[in-house]
Amino acid sequence: MTTTLTTLLRVFDETNPHVPLLETGDGSRIAQELASIGVRFERWAADAQLAPGADQAAVIEAYRSSIERLQHECGYRSVDVIRLERGTPGTEPLRKKFLDEHRHGEDEVRFFVEGRGAFYLHVGSRVYQTICVRGDLISVPAGTTHWFDMGPDPEFTAIRLFVNPDGWVANFTGNPIAQAFPKLDA
Ligand SMILES: [Fe+2]
């Protein structure tokens, strides 16, 4: 995977998806803005070279120390990996699955080690579009309304951590707000 792009935060008023109130690529500013809504964001080292066909076990092994640090710190009991390479057929249903506003009874913790994806956090009257790239750790607390766009031709590898993966189901709010906001590649 060769995508090398930078993290980006755009903060919108929920009534105006066209003009952001704030747009920044500065990592510490992004962490600060997201911390103000209870979302953890950190930039970590993610420089392991993964083979094109690297499986879940190989990705976990490559990032074992980072994973163990998080598990120890936050009590996450299980870990898995989602890895999508550009050109993978049949990803549209997977994309659609999380493209509408929802919440979980569990934290949504993602450590991006390749590629990118966009989280949209809807908190108060604001929408925080956070485009995460390799090296970004984001933790969306349980109960936070949000959605996620992996784009029409997804390319990312994310390590996912859970306290209880069975509790990590999407409860949709029925609010169509996500449809009005720019997609990952807009
Ligand atoms: Fe989610």
Side-chain angles (χ1 to χ4, degrees):
M1 295 187 184
T2 52
T3 310
T4 49
L5 292 151
T6 53
T7 316
L8 188 67
L9 173 70
R10 290 192 187 104
V11 184
F12 297 89
D13 187 274
E14 63 182 357
T15 61
N16 186 351
H18 305 294
V19 183
L21 304 167
L22 166 71
E23 180 169 318
T24 179
D26 180 84
S28 26
R29 181 76 194 276
I30 292 171
Q32 183 190 338
E33 291 293 328
L34 294 180
S36 76
I37 56 165
V39 172
R40 174 180 178 176
F41 174 86
E42 292 169 13
R43 300 232 63 214
W44 285 26
D47 42 18
Q49 287 302 315
L50 300 171
D55 64 6
Q56 178 160 239
V59 176
I60 289 172
E61 188 51 41
Y63 288 99
R64 179 164 297 285
S65 61
S66 297
I67 291 168
E68 284 176 353
R69 179 181 142 192
L70 269 171
Q71 285 185 302
H72 184 254
E73 196 182 317
C74 305
Y76 302 122
R77 289 198 295 257
S78 71
V79 53
D80 70 10
V81 174
I82 179 163
R83 187 168 207 230
L84 292 172
E85 294 182 326
R86 205 169 276 288
T88 304
T91 54
E92 194 56 26
L94 190 60
R95 181 189 189 198
K96 277 200 161 136
K97 199 171 167 187
F98 299 111
L99 208 46
D100 285 316
E101 189 185 76
H102 63 276
R103 356 177 134 82
H104 308 281
E106 278 265 325
D107 295 354
E108 183 160 337
V109 186
R110 300 289 180 268
F111 176 32
F112 285 81
V113 299
E114 289 180 315
R116 64 193 192 122
F119 277 90
Y120 300 76
L121 312 156
H122 184 197
V123 178
S125 60
R126 302 270 162 92
V127 171
Y128 298 75
Q129 181 193 30
T130 312
I131 299 177
C132 293
V133 304
R134 168 194 276 254
D136 290 345
L137 170 77
I138 189 166
S139 175
V140 181
T144 305
T145 47
H146 68 280
W147 64 93
F148 177 74
D149 186 15
M150 59 180 72
D153 188 11
E155 181 183 39
F156 72 102
T157 302
I159 296 169
R160 317 192 297 175
L161 294 111
F162 307 90
V163 175
N164 172 16
D166 296 337
W168 194 76
V169 291
N171 299 301
F172 291 94
T173 63
N175 185 338
I177 183 169
Q179 293 159 25
F181 278 81
K183 297 289 186 274
L184 172 62
D185 288 321

